[in-house]
Amino acid sequence: MKVHAPLPYWRLSGFYFAYFGFVGAFTPFWTLYLKSLAFSAFQIAILMSLFQIARSFSPSLWGWVADHRGHRVPIIQFLAGASLLAYVGVFFGNSFYWLFAIMLTLSFFWSASLPLIEAVTLGHLGDRLDRYGHIRLWGSIGFVVAVVGLGYAVQYLGMMALLWVILILLAAVWGLSWRLADPLVALQHHDSDGSWWAILRRREVIALMAACFAMSAAHGVYYTFYSIYLVDHGYSKGIVGWLWGLGVMCEIMVFLYMPRLFALFGLRRIMLTSLFLAFVRFFVIGWAVDVWWLIVLAQTLHAATFGSYHAAAVALTHRYFRGKHQSKGQGLYTSISYGVGGTLGAVISGFAWDSIGPSWTFTASALCAMLGFIFFMFMMREDQGETE
């Protein structure tokens, strides 16, 4: 009978809660803060794309460092402290170039933390991967608490409330990082791990990374302009917060039932369904923004376009990048998807928003998700996308 080491459930869950609390505060409302400074749509897109640009190289860089040193948690602690220190700069200026420098520095350190904590969590779980969703859901809860609470705080207290709440959340992330510990067997190396380049050339790995790239590129306009889009169409900031929160509440339900979904449908079908529903979601957002109940329904699809998608992508990445390649694998997933894909989606949406209009920009993002669906369907063999 195999004996498992105790799982540090609450320490991992607490970190996820604070980490995604920051994401829930920053992603929906930072664009509104930038708009309040009278920046143009293109300037906003450039500033927001800095996080995606950093994700193109920073996670892979720090993943290589972690695998080389044999420890991840000390690096997470350093990255969290550096992120907090970089953010303090927002209180000392608000010009475009000043915020460009601050956000670029912040994004370089911040964007590397998530793949490392994912690797730490999966290392603690071992073969108990079905419990990943139960830990990760606390990140979603943190997101909901932040986004709903800040929706009303910003509406009634103004944008300065946003700046201080983000500072508190970053401090919490740094503090909670000191409660983490590396798993005892996380970085054991085996000859069967295979070479890095051999893994990258595998057909199923190419299919996975291409699909992740397409999904994140499709979300570029959503993460950059969705809040602005809703406010411009008469939705209050409080309602905007609730809509973001609704999407993540549905995501929480998916994380709770992920073990059953994995067993019933397999990872390939879950990825394909997530990509197809992303196509539906962004098409509806683009053309039905004034029909409130359709926007509500579209937000429930966040359960698929992030929840089931992310869980399946992390599980597939963990399957293909084993042992000594775990941190690099999770870093590569983050870099190609949220980094390169997210950057392309955000920058192109900045050009398209004023030239072809919001509806057609969301339509383009929907088509991007469909391209990912088609590529993944033909490239990922069915026997490679089922649970093992």
Side-chain angles (χ1 to χ4, degrees), residues 1 25 30 34-35 59 66-67 82 84 176 189 210 243 251 263 276 303 305 317 325-326 344-345 356 359 361 374-375:
M1 180 177 178
W30 197 253
L34 297 177
K35 187 178 181 182
D67 284 340
L84 174 62
L176 288 167
H189 296 179
L243 284 170
E251 169 192 310
F276 180 79
T305 68
T317 302
H325 302 306
Q326 287 179 6
L344 183 67
I356 64 175
S359 294
T361 304
I374 294 170
F375 189 88

Side-chain angles (χ1 to χ4, degrees), residues 12 23 43 81 155 208 324 358:
L12 294 169
V23 177
Q43 287 177 313
Q155 183 172 335
L208 172 63
K324 62 185 178 183

Side-chain angles (χ1 to χ4, degrees), residues 218-242:
H219 279 74
V221 62
Y222 174 74
Y223 287 124
T224 306
F225 290 111
Y226 184 63
S227 295
I228 294 173
Y229 186 49
L230 293 177
V231 171
D232 286 346
H233 282 266
Y235 294 84
S236 70
K237 293 182 179 69
I239 294 299
V240 170
W242 273 108

Side-chain angles (χ1 to χ4, degrees), residues 58-76 79 112 115-120 123 182-183 185-190 193-196 199 317-318 320-333:
S58 181
S60 296
L61 170 64
W62 290 105
W64 279 93
V65 172
D67 284 340
H68 177 72
R69 291 179 59 86
H71 298 285
R72 300 184 181 108
V73 168
I75 297 175
I76 294 172
L79 294 173
L116 290 176
I117 191 62
E118 298 278 38
V120 168
D182 278 306
V185 296
L187 297 183
Q188 286 183 349
H189 296 179
H190 305 282
D193 293 341
S195 75
W196 174 252
I199 295 171
T317 302
H318 185 67
Y320 299 136
F321 296 89
R322 297 183 181 275
K324 62 185 178 183
H325 302 306
Q326 287 179 6
S327 294
K328 295 190 291 289
Q330 294 297 334
L332 181 70
Y333 157 60

Side-chain angles (χ1 to χ4, degrees), residues 234-313:
Y235 294 84
S236 70
K237 293 182 179 69
I239 294 299
V240 170
W242 273 108
L243 284 170
W244 279 90
L246 171 65
V248 181
M249 290 176 201
C250 296
E251 169 192 310
I252 291 170
M253 298 305 297
V254 166
F255 282 133
L256 284 172
Y257 288 98
M258 215 62 228
R260 187 176 301 177
L261 294 175
F262 278 1
L264 286 175
F265 302 109
L267 300 177
R268 180 179 183 272
R269 294 187 185 92
I270 290 173
M271 283 289 289
L272 286 172
T273 302
S274 300
L275 287 159
F276 180 79
L277 291 177
F279 166 79
V280 173
R281 181 189 186 192
F282 294 129
F283 189 85
V284 169
I285 291 174
W287 296 101
V289 65
D290 294 318
V291 184
W292 69 267
W293 61 271
L294 283 177
I295 293 299
V296 170
L297 287 177
Q299 279 304 92
T300 66
L301 294 181
H302 191 74
T305 68
F306 180 80
S308 61
Y309 153 75
H310 178 71

Side-chain angles (χ1 to χ4, degrees), residues 161-226:
L162 173 66
L163 301 185
W164 286 104
V165 168
I166 289 178
L167 178 68
I168 293 169
L169 288 169
L170 284 173
V173 170
W174 179 67
L176 288 167
S177 71
W178 292 91
R179 300 282 294 166
L180 300 174
D182 278 306
L184 296 178
V185 296
L187 297 183
Q188 286 183 349
H189 296 179
H190 305 282
D191 293 337
S192 61
D193 293 341
S195 75
W196 174 252
W197 296 112
I199 295 171
L200 293 181
R201 289 195 297 268
R202 292 174 62 177
R203 175 191 177 105
E204 55 271 20
V205 173
I206 294 172
L208 172 63
M209 294 302 161
C212 293
F213 170 89
M215 181 67 101
S216 291
H219 279 74
V221 62
Y222 174 74
Y223 287 124
T224 306
F225 290 111
Y226 184 63

